Amino acid sequence: MYLTDRSAPVQAGPGQGRRRGPGRRVAPVVLVLGTVSLITDISSEMVTAVLPLYLVSTLGFSPLGFGTLDGIYNGVSALVQLTGGHLADRVRGHKLMAGLGYGLSALCKPLLLLAGSIGTLGTVLALDRTGKGLRTAPRDAMISLSTPAGSHGRAFGVHRAMDTTGAMLGPLAAFLILRAAADGYDAVFGVSACVAALGVLVLVLFVPGRRQAERTQESGPPRAKPSVREALALLRLPRLRTLACCAALLGLTTVSDAFVYLLLQRRAGVGEEWFTLLPLGTAAVFLLLAVPLGALADRIGRRTVFLAGHAGLLTAYALLLWAPGTPALAPLVLALHGVFYAATDGVLPAALAGVVPEHLRASGLALVGTSQALARFCCSLAFGAAWTAWGDGPALAGSALGLLCCAAVAALVLRPADGTR
């Protein structure tokens, strides 16, 4: 089973019938969605950058308490992705569902100013992740449907690069606000809310809606609205089922970014005033490599690039476990962390685009995204509990051993049946 079957016929999306070949140009809708993601990521990463220290240092949360909230932050969107993806396909309104998701996340940002307990914070973070769950599958469906099949890796790479630009600017903005404002955390949350609202505005004004998209489609008999049973029946597709299982398996041993940065701060002796800049290292490498690795995956196969990214993550875990706390440790770990995201974050949906039928594209993306997010939710809870019980070192060692085993299983399961790469 190959991570993507490049020889499989894929129906052209709206407006693709007039294209003479895959080409190298990126569709305008991809660039606009990338701009929306860039702005939104500035907002969300401002919060993400300060949240670990805010919870652990300011509010005094234990690693288990933080792991629970981090699991909620990453896991709630998993359950909502199924709803968002199916509704987007059913009403044929990918922009509508994406807009609802972006809008809900924007509304949650100012509520962080009022949250001071684990219950209140958990509720606000759950609502914020509900917005992310609603928007992710419809957004990725719009990207894949506007792009020729042979260029999916490049298109998702461009989008992820623009998204990551926001991920770089967000922590930098949080760092500058914390240094300039008296009530730094409140200021970060307030500015984040304003930036998120701007992202919603760009989506509403510049992303083509249902009517514009329908004008580009060829005339033909109307297709019946897909049912929940039809969406769930996608799991009968062997390739999609394999991808969903591998994504979940690897997600079970993928330590969340927040824990990686907390571990790196302790191992490398990074001062608290510099903590918010750690995500910049990951984001910079992600930004540089997202497009090249996406294009490489289109050429040599997504399986190879996808597994190589997990090998980079495993190397980062090994450095955190055994490397001495020299000045070189932080840049090495952050570089490997960025390579992992560049090789996996856009490659997985690019592979799925060649597997899922066009009229169920958002549902299929949501199924695999849900399996991966639920697995990472479980990993956050387990890692936080292990850190609390046995310490950060044994917890990371267990995750590294698990990742090694899961990657080996994924390499066997995703092995191409015809002996190609």
Side-chain angles (χ1 to χ4, degrees):
M1 181 61 61
Y2 200 5
L3 186 57
T4 179
D5 185 354
R6 290 173 291 171
S7 64
V10 180
Q11 292 181 326
Q16 291 180 23
R18 293 184 294 275
R19 290 190 175 99
R20 297 179 180 176
R24 298 175 64 87
R25 296 182 61 186
V26 176
V29 69
V30 176
L31 298 177
V32 178
L33 287 170
T35 302
V36 175
S37 293
L38 186 155
I39 296 171
T40 303
D41 237 36
I42 293 176
S43 170
S44 60
E45 291 301 322
M46 287 174 65
V47 174
T48 302
V50 303
L51 201 58
L53 279 182
Y54 177 66
L55 296 177
V56 175
S57 300
T58 303
L59 298 184
F61 281 24
S62 68
L64 177 58
F66 174 71
T68 301
L69 279 181
D70 189 68
I72 292 172
Y73 195 70
N74 292 293
V76 168
S77 63
L79 299 175
V80 183
Q81 275 192 61
L82 292 174
T83 302
H86 175 67
L87 288 178
D89 287 334
R90 185 168 178 81
V91 304
R92 298 186 181 93
H94 296 122
K95 176 184 176 179
L96 174 62
M97 293 308 301
L100 288 175
Y102 281 111
L104 180 58
S105 293
L107 289 174
C108 288
K109 295 299 188 300
L111 296 180
L112 290 170
L113 296 168
L114 308 176
S117 66
I118 188 170
T120 308
L121 277 169
T123 301
V124 174
L125 293 178
L127 288 173
D128 178 74
R129 294 299 89 181
T130 297
K132 180 175 176 60
L134 287 175
R135 70 180 183 251
T136 299
R139 180 203 64 202
D140 285 350
M142 284 191 281
I143 294 172
S144 67
L145 291 172
S146 65
T147 305
S151 298
H152 280 143
R154 178 183 297 276
F156 278 103
V158 169
H159 174 267
R160 293 326 193 243
M162 297 181 71
D163 181 89
T164 306
T165 302
M168 290 181 62
L169 296 176
L172 181 60
F175 172 75
L176 295 176
I177 292 172
L178 286 176
R179 291 179 67 90
D183 296 324
Y185 291 116
D186 289 347
V188 168
F189 298 150
V191 173
S192 173
C194 297
V195 176
L198 177 61
V200 177
L201 184 63
V202 172
L203 176 77
V204 171
L205 294 179
F206 298 107
V207 174
R210 178 181 174 184
R211 292 182 180 177
Q212 292 92 323
E214 285 178 347
R215 294 193 189 107
T216 67
Q217 294 179 355
E218 298 178 0
S219 59
R223 184 186 294 271
K225 295 181 179 180
S227 63
V228 175
R229 179 178 298 180
E230 188 178 0
L232 293 177
L234 288 171
L235 291 174
R236 297 176 184 173
L237 298 174
R239 284 180 292 167
L240 186 139
R241 187 168 60 246
T242 300
L243 286 170
C245 291
C246 288
L249 191 65
L250 292 166
L252 283 172
T253 53
T254 301
V255 178
S256 75
D257 296 356
F259 277 126
V260 170
Y261 299 140
L262 285 173
L263 288 166
L264 184 57
Q265 181 203 21
R266 294 180 175 220
R267 296 289 192 273
V270 178
E272 289 191 2
E273 68 274 16
W274 304 106
F275 181 84
T276 57
L277 296 182
L278 291 180
L280 284 177
T282 298
V285 177
F286 191 177
L287 174 62
L288 291 174
L289 297 181
V291 177
L293 289 183
L296 181 66
D298 287 335
R299 291 198 302 270
I300 71 172
R302 286 141 196 171
R303 169 185 179 270
T304 303
V305 175
F306 185 75
L307 293 175
H310 284 87
L313 182 63
L314 184 61
T315 305
Y317 290 174
L319 289 175
L320 285 172
L321 282 169
W322 297 302
T326 63
L329 178 60
L332 280 174
V333 171
L334 295 175
L336 290 167
H337 203 222
V339 168
F340 161 68
Y341 277 113
T344 59
D345 194 60
V347 171
L348 181 59
L352 287 167
V355 176
V356 183
E358 185 176 301
H359 69 289
L360 291 171
R361 186 64 53 83
S363 299
L365 291 168
L367 283 171
V368 178
T370 294
S371 67
Q372 185 179 56
L374 283 176
R376 290 185 175 179
F377 168 75
C378 295
C379 181
S380 287
L381 294 179
F383 190 86
W387 185 339
T388 302
W390 303 307
D392 54 1
L396 183 60
S399 295
L401 180 61
L403 179 59
L404 178 62
C405 296
C406 292
V409 172
L412 292 175
V413 172
L414 296 171
R415 183 174 53 189
D418 59 358
T420 58
R421 291 181 298 271

